[in-house]
Amino acid sequence: MKKMQKKSRFTLIEVVIVIVILVTLASIATPMYMNYVSQANIGAAKTQLKNLSDAINGYRVDNKAYPPEESGLEALVSNVDDLETWKGPYIQGVLPKDPWGNDYIYRCPGEDDRPFEVISYGADGEPGGEDENADLSSWE
């Protein structure tokens, strides 16, 4: 006499229910994760802006002036203007890019009678925008 083996299989309805549950969980978790990533990038940009501002102020202490706009932030890592008073590099390594992979913008003088300004145009890389696309400034 043959023993009948009972095979355990999932029904189509059970598989569909599991897929629906997984899709529902993913649709809840994905926006939360994307918001977390966006906020982390903004925080990293603000930290880098602060570090660049500190380096610019260090440059000013040694050289009695802010880096010229033409030299830009490159003046923080190498003596591009051949100054005898240059005691850098004022930041180690290469110039950082913002968290979205764009170059920081340096203005000297800055807007609103500020001596300088370092700007990140955010995720879109363009002036203006909102949320993660908003411009971030060293004076914020």
Side-chain angles (χ1 to χ4, degrees), residues 51-135:
N51 291 340
L52 289 168
S53 295
D54 290 346
I56 290 168
N57 284 315
Y59 178 100
R60 185 188 60 80
V61 167
D62 290 345
N63 300 293
K64 310 297 185 243
Y66 292 104
E69 190 167 332
E70 302 79 42
S71 302
L73 297 173
E74 189 64 35
L76 301 176
V77 292
S78 64
N79 191 0
V80 294
D81 297 313
D82 295 324
L83 300 171
E84 291 182 21
T85 56
W86 193 84
K87 296 178 184 159
Y90 297 94
I91 59 172
Q92 298 299 316
V94 297
L95 286 172
K97 293 195 177 283
D98 70 14
W100 301 278
N102 303 313
D103 291 326
Y104 284 101
I105 308 300
Y106 174 67
R107 293 187 184 142
C108 184
E111 292 183 4
D112 299 327
D113 296 324
R114 295 179 174 140
F116 70 89
E117 190 169 20
V118 184
I119 301 167
S120 167
Y121 287 141
D124 63 357
E126 299 291 329
E130 296 178 8
D131 299 329
E132 69 273 2
N133 294 322
D135 299 348

Side-chain angles (χ1 to χ4, degrees), residues 20-65:
V20 167
I21 291 170
L22 291 175
V23 168
T24 303
L25 290 174
S27 68
I28 293 169
T30 300
M32 291 171 50
Y33 173 75
M34 295 308 289
N35 184 46
Y36 173 78
V37 169
S38 174
Q39 294 304 314
N41 284 341
I42 290 170
K46 287 180 179 181
T47 299
Q48 287 179 335
L49 287 167
K50 171 78 168 96
N51 291 340
L52 289 168
S53 295
D54 290 346
I56 290 168
N57 284 315
Y59 178 100
R60 185 188 60 80
V61 167
D62 290 345
N63 300 293
K64 310 297 185 243

